[in-house]
Amino acid sequence: MTQACILIVEDEPLVREVLAAVLADDAYRLEFATCGEEALTIATELRPDLILLDIMMPGMNGYEVCRRIRLAPDLAPIPILMLTALDDAASRLEGINAGADDFLSKPFDRAELCARVRTIVRLNRYRKLIEEKERFLRLAEMLPHGIVLLDADGRIRFANPALAGLLRLSRVEDLLGQDFMVLLAPGHDGLVKACIDDLREDATGFRDVEAMLKRSDDSSFPVAIDGVRYPAMSEPLIQLVVRDTTEQREYLAALEREAYQQRSAGAAYLATVQRMEGRSRQLLETQEFERRMLARELHDEIGQQLGALKLHLRVLGRGTDNAQQVSRLAECLEIVDATIGAIRNRALELRPSMLDDFGLQAALDWYCSRQAERSGASIEVVLDGLEERPLPDVETACFRIVQEAVNNALRHGESHHIEIGLSSLGQQIALRVQDDGRGFIAPSVLATTARGAGFGISSMRERAELLGGNFSITSTPGVGTLVEAMIPLS
């Protein structure tokens, strides 16, 4: 938990020194301002937990500073304790009208000052926790996808309302403690269990594993499951994101029926294919948008909630001498720290912000250095002739193709060295991903992909071809794999 920040606004150096000495024993972070303007600037920047505000100052007095803070929406909730040599009722009434929360007359009693500061800081932090908790609950209720955390035995430790809704359960509590595998329809638990078992050994995670879940009425529905492992916990936890794909499957099935009818009639076949490609591009764009929004929600909302929870756990730890409670609070803090790190990592994996902010090279450098650190493999990135940033669609396609190729090389190919090259050839980008992994029999795998399996290769090919480019993959058992794509810049 971070230290509580107190802003002391006092123009007299001696009084500032006394206040600093009095509050030193409580380990606050103390910041100082010598005038009203400086106080407003520091308050805007730091958002302190409490402002100790002198009334009698040259220039802008304490009443005016207080009024301006209360008029600023971002600063208005900050508690203000006025320190004043004025002890008459009119002065206190003016302070109340300006928005002060409490008063302390000079000369002040040191014990009383410390007690009032501790009380105000504690109440302010409790208020913040309540507000953050309410925001978190609203976010959890609004998320459209199911979120679940599994312990080492595969039992559900946390589930959000969306997952209960997908399963047609009236209470989230009905899921807690259950083995997640019992929610899967017969014949669909093997692949999911294998992916989760692999995830306990390999932290790179998995995406879009298709399965069928059982509802409370024994009906089944299709889902796609993403998984990620928390990197540092007192016990291993697995996070799964469960997405209902019923509408997506129905939509794709409708497109297939429409295309079949067009082929059977021998009319407008090309128009149908073009329409399907347009829809596929729209699906990819929608997927990237959803990933960007979910990453932002994870980082901004849930991350802040957990940060507030961490602060209050530390406050609770300082308020007890019970060794068992202190030990349990320490374990809770460890879990919160690991969860914050995992959410930050998951948000970056969903949609790295540097891809939008700084471009393809920055995003690839970040992703590859991260994968190299996780796997121990050597990953080299070389960009040649890309002085200007490509269009956003081209950057996204290149990044996702590299991401899928590197993930396959590490997870399935057990590669030790990967070379990634992007270069500008006229009006096209040439992309190459070469690894020294186990390789595979390319014709067999590509034939399987053509029949609808192997989503990763299909996804890479589709991203390239939807932008008017081409894609190829070459592999030999024991030699490695080469992924190549040519994508137009415009």
Side-chain angles (χ1 to χ4, degrees):
M1 180 187 293
T2 58
Q3 294 175 300
C5 178
I6 299 177
L7 174 58
I8 298 174
V9 187
E10 172 62 60
D11 62 318
E12 292 291 339
L14 180 59
V15 178
R16 291 198 301 271
E17 293 176 6
V18 171
L19 289 171
V22 169
L23 298 174
D25 292 340
D26 287 323
Y28 298 119
R29 175 189 172 185
L30 301 180
E31 300 290 339
F32 299 91
T34 60
C35 65
E37 292 290 349
E38 186 181 10
L40 293 173
T41 300
I42 296 176
T44 302
E45 179 181 352
L46 300 181
R47 309 285 172 80
D49 293 278
L50 171 64
I51 297 176
L52 294 181
L53 179 60
D54 184 27
I55 293 180
M56 305 301 293
M57 293 186 297
M60 187 188 303
N61 63 28
Y63 297 132
E64 181 61 23
V65 173
C66 188
R67 278 190 286 268
R68 294 198 183 188
I69 288 175
R70 292 296 180 243
L71 290 174
D74 293 341
L75 304 180
I78 300 174
I80 297 175
L81 172 58
M82 280 191 166
L83 300 175
T84 176
L86 304 174
D87 198 24
D88 57 284
S91 299
R92 288 178 175 267
L93 181 60
E94 185 174 357
I96 291 173
N97 290 332
D101 296 284
D102 201 356
F103 293 87
L104 197 61
S105 298
K106 298 178 183 178
F108 48 80
D109 180 81
R110 297 190 173 200
E112 182 183 4
L113 173 64
C114 291
R116 291 199 186 189
V117 168
R118 281 194 295 268
T119 299
I120 293 174
V121 168
R122 183 172 64 252
L123 291 176
N124 187 47
R125 291 205 158 188
Y126 178 74
R127 175 189 60 80
K128 289 182 178 179
L129 178 62
I130 294 299
E131 292 175 353
E132 294 294 335
K133 180 179 179 181
E134 291 175 351
R135 281 197 290 267
F136 171 76
L137 292 175
R138 287 196 298 269
L139 174 63
E141 292 174 355
M142 292 171 60
L143 283 176
H145 304 313
I147 307 291
V148 62
L149 288 179
L150 308 181
D151 62 18
D153 297 325
R155 297 193 175 277
I156 298 174
R157 295 279 298 275
F158 168 82
N160 69 339
L163 182 63
L166 291 176
L167 298 172
R168 295 179 180 171
L169 295 172
S170 58
R171 303 188 319 141
V172 172
E173 291 76 13
D174 294 337
L175 291 169
L176 301 183
Q178 284 197 48
D179 185 342
F180 181 75
M181 294 303 154
V182 305
L183 303 179
L184 295 165
H188 289 267
D189 56 345
L191 178 58
V192 176
K193 186 177 187 303
C195 289
I196 292 176
D197 290 342
D198 288 346
L199 188 55
R200 292 192 173 98
E201 304 296 331
D202 178 9
T204 54
F206 61 85
R207 296 186 295 111
D208 295 320
V209 173
E210 295 185 355
M212 299 287 289
L213 287 191
K214 295 184 301 184
R215 295 191 175 97
S216 58
D217 58 4
D218 290 332
S219 63
S220 300
F221 65 101
V223 296
I225 302 176
D226 299 344
V228 66
R229 184 183 76 186
Y230 288 134
M233 301 289 283
S234 56
E235 62 172 317
L237 289 179
I238 301 296
Q239 175 186 288
L240 302 180
V241 178
V242 181
R243 293 177 284 113
D244 186 351
T245 59
T246 302
E247 292 185 1
Q248 180 180 352
R249 288 194 175 192
E250 292 176 350
Y251 174 69
L252 293 176
L255 286 179
E256 290 177 359
R257 289 194 299 270
E258 181 181 353
Y260 176 76
Q261 293 168 358
Q262 293 290 346
R263 286 196 301 270
S264 300
Y269 175 63
L270 180 59
T272 301
V273 172
Q274 290 174 341
R275 184 162 62 254
M276 290 176 67
E277 289 180 348
R279 301 278 178 84
S280 296
R281 177 179 294 203
Q282 185 178 13
L283 284 175
L284 289 175
E285 291 174 350
T286 301
Q287 182 186 61
E288 291 296 332
F289 175 77
E290 289 180 346
R291 286 178 172 177
R292 185 183 294 111
M293 295 303 297
L294 183 57
R296 187 175 301 166
E297 290 171 352
L298 286 172
H299 182 274
D300 293 348
E301 296 291 338
I302 298 180
Q304 291 181 12
Q305 299 287 343
L306 291 172
L309 176 61
K310 180 180 174 183
L311 294 176
H312 285 272
L313 286 173
R314 286 195 174 174
V315 169
L316 291 174
R318 290 203 298 267
T320 179
D321 296 323
N322 186 301
Q324 185 177 11
Q325 291 182 358
V326 170
S327 175
R328 289 181 177 176
L329 285 170
E331 290 181 6
C332 291
L333 284 170
E334 181 184 357
I335 292 174
V336 171
D337 282 334
T339 305
I340 290 173
I343 287 176
R344 184 180 297 114
N345 290 336
R346 188 56 174 162
L348 288 173
E349 288 173 354
L350 283 168
R351 178 72 184 186
S353 59
M354 62 277 293
L355 180 61
D356 299 316
D357 297 335
F358 303 110
L360 181 60
Q361 181 168 2
L364 288 178
D365 288 341
W366 165 82
Y367 174 76
C368 292
S369 63
R370 195 162 180 267
Q371 294 297 84
E373 180 180 351
R374 284 178 167 181
S375 63
S378 169
I379 305 178
E380 181 181 2
V381 181
V382 178
L383 276 71
D384 180 30
L386 294 177
E387 288 80 13
E388 296 184 2
R389 287 185 60 175
L391 294 173
D393 285 351
V394 176
E395 286 190 325
T396 298
C398 290
F399 180 81
R400 293 301 184 196
I401 291 172
V402 170
Q403 188 179 39
E404 187 67 38
V406 170
N407 185 58
N408 288 342
L410 294 176
R411 184 175 183 186
H412 303 297
E414 299 179 358
S415 303
H416 300 289
H417 181 71
I418 303 173
E419 296 180 1
I420 301 167
L422 282 94
S423 58
S424 176
L425 296 179
Q427 294 301 310
Q428 290 186 311
I429 285 183
L431 185 154
R432 286 171 51 91
V433 181
Q434 174 77 62
D435 69 68
D436 63 351
R438 294 186 302 179
F440 54 87
I441 301 175
S444 175
V445 172
L446 293 176
T448 302
T449 301
R451 292 195 298 269
F455 178 79
I457 295 176
S458 298
S459 175
M460 290 189 287
R461 183 187 303 278
E462 184 176 34
R463 286 186 181 276
E465 292 180 351
L466 282 174
L467 294 176
N470 55 67
F471 172 88
S472 66
I473 186 166
T474 306
S475 186
T476 304
V479 176
T481 302
L482 171 64
V483 172
E484 295 180 289
M486 295 287 290
I487 301 176
L489 286 169
S490 61

